[in-house]
Amino acid sequence: MLRYLLDLKHLFKRFVLIANVMPALFGFFIALKYYELSFMEYIGDFVLLTVGSNLLVAGSLALNNWLEADVDRLMERTKDRPTVTGSMSLRSILTIGIVLSIIGEILLFTINIEVGLLGFIGWYTYVVVYTVWTKRRFTWNTHVGSFSGAVTPVMGWAVVETSTLHVIPFSLFLIMFLWQMPHTYAIAIRKSEDYARSGLQMLPVIKGYQTTIRRTAIYIGLLVILPFMLDSFSMFFYLVISVLNIGWFIVALIGFKASDKKKWARVLFVSSLIYLLSVFIIYLIFV
């Protein structure tokens, strides 16, 4: 049983699972606060969102493992996945991915059509467009993966308000999209040897570290100016989030002069997690 649970942990990429579900839950609570609604009125939908999004993301990650079994065998970072160790058959992993994805989608559609459609868009973009089509062919595969992740807070918002044509979910989508680029680049720099062996078209491998750091600075720079392109927030919101954005931008700039790029990438990675959590907390406080 313990071996099976460990296999599932590696199959579902535990921290990736959490990082994808968390924005959906924050989007839900931000919408509740904005519209001044009671959590108890939506507790049923909250349960469906939590379970459905977890199952859908877990299913997509299992399918990602199944589709990348060949390259995972070439990388140190994926050596413990059941697709590499052989502790689970590829057919079993495919079945798990399909079944969890279907059940997750059904639960999300039970909430409302908008949530179900947004969940499907995120799943399809990640599994088909990102994993199948772009990851082995183009360095801009990261943009596709970022789009998939950026849908999640909007999905959470749609549980409460089906119209997502609003500045708050729109800004959360943009933040999530821009945030994922430096976050993913940090991983790609740290694991560049793995990606080089695998043949996956990651930017640090194809274009080098300096280009990747330059792109990182550009995307975080866009995060710095993004709040001022949006209306209807308080002055305190702009002040606090600007301090946060500038702080992260400084981390990006340090990368140009860092003698140890991988050490800098570790700092960038950790700071990206702190940044994202801080952004959601700021939204919860100030919306």
Side-chain angles (χ1 to χ4, degrees):
M1 176 59 73
L2 180 59
R3 176 70 256 180
Y4 185 71
L5 292 176
L6 288 173
D7 284 339
L8 291 180
K9 183 188 79 169
H10 293 298
L11 183 66
F12 299 143
K13 309 175 191 177
R14 179 182 49 174
F15 293 112
V16 178
L17 178 64
I18 294 170
N20 277 273
V21 173
M22 184 190 73
L25 301 183
F26 269 109
F28 169 80
F29 283 112
I30 290 168
L32 278 184
K33 185 173 185 293
Y34 181 80
Y35 290 109
E36 300 180 341
L37 298 171
S38 168
F39 171 71
M40 296 308 297
E41 294 178 25
Y42 288 86
I43 190 168
D45 288 339
F46 173 75
V47 172
L48 289 171
L49 174 66
T50 303
V51 178
S53 58
N54 268 287
L55 292 178
L56 184 63
V57 174
S60 66
L61 292 172
L63 291 171
N64 172 269
N65 275 232
W66 179 76
L67 289 163
E68 295 189 339
D70 57 335
V71 296
D72 282 349
R73 295 188 181 96
L74 303 175
M75 296 193 289
E76 182 71 17
R77 64 186 288 266
T78 55
K79 65 181 181 180
D80 293 324
R81 290 182 183 174
T83 50
V84 177
T85 63
S87 54
M88 296 177 67
S89 70
L90 290 177
R91 185 170 185 176
S92 297
I93 293 170
L94 175 61
T95 302
I96 289 171
I98 292 173
V99 170
L100 292 184
S101 296
I102 291 173
I103 296 174
E105 268 300 325
I106 290 172
L107 293 178
L108 294 179
F109 271 111
T110 301
I111 300 173
N112 60 54
I113 293 175
E114 287 75 11
V115 174
L117 285 175
L118 287 167
F120 177 77
I121 290 171
W123 178 92
Y124 182 84
T125 304
Y126 180 76
V127 175
V128 179
V129 185
Y130 172 67
T131 304
V132 175
W133 182 43
T134 63
K135 197 171 181 181
R136 302 185 190 221
R137 294 178 175 88
F138 310 106
T139 58
W140 48 265
N141 67 75
T142 309
H143 297 75
V144 178
S146 296
F147 181 89
S148 175
V151 169
T152 53
V154 184
M155 185 172 69
W157 176 279
V159 174
V160 177
E161 174 54 59
T162 55
S163 175
T164 55
L165 298 176
H166 190 283
V167 65
I168 292 177
F170 178 65
S171 64
L172 288 173
F173 174 88
L174 291 177
I175 289 172
M176 280 293 296
F177 179 82
L178 294 171
W179 168 83
Q180 285 176 98
M181 306 301 293
H183 175 76
T184 306
Y185 289 155
I187 298 172
I189 290 175
R190 292 172 60 202
K191 305 297 182 181
S192 56
E193 287 83 1
D194 269 356
Y195 286 119
R197 283 195 300 271
S198 70
L200 296 177
Q201 301 294 294
M202 304 305 290
L203 187 65
V205 177
I206 306 302
K207 299 291 186 178
Y209 290 166
Q210 285 298 111
T211 297
T212 305
I213 294 169
R214 191 179 306 115
R215 300 273 183 92
T216 295
I218 289 172
Y219 288 116
I220 298 180
L222 290 173
L223 283 171
V224 173
I225 66 174
L226 174 61
F228 301 100
M229 300 173 64
L230 305 169
D231 197 4
S232 79
F233 291 101
S234 70
M235 184 61 66
F236 288 108
F237 171 87
Y238 292 117
L239 176 62
V240 174
I241 204 164
S242 293
V243 170
L244 182 65
N245 285 334
I246 292 170
W248 202 30
F249 185 63
I250 292 172
V251 173
L253 295 180
I254 291 172
F256 287 108
K257 297 296 184 180
S259 57
D260 188 337
K261 302 301 185 187
K262 292 196 175 185
K263 184 177 180 180
W264 167 80
R266 284 194 293 272
V267 174
L268 179 66
F269 176 78
V270 173
S271 64
S272 73
L273 300 177
I274 296 171
Y275 174 86
L276 186 63
L277 181 60
S278 300
V279 165
F280 284 125
I281 292 173
I282 290 168
Y283 265 79
L284 276 174
I285 292 172
F286 291 106
V287 294

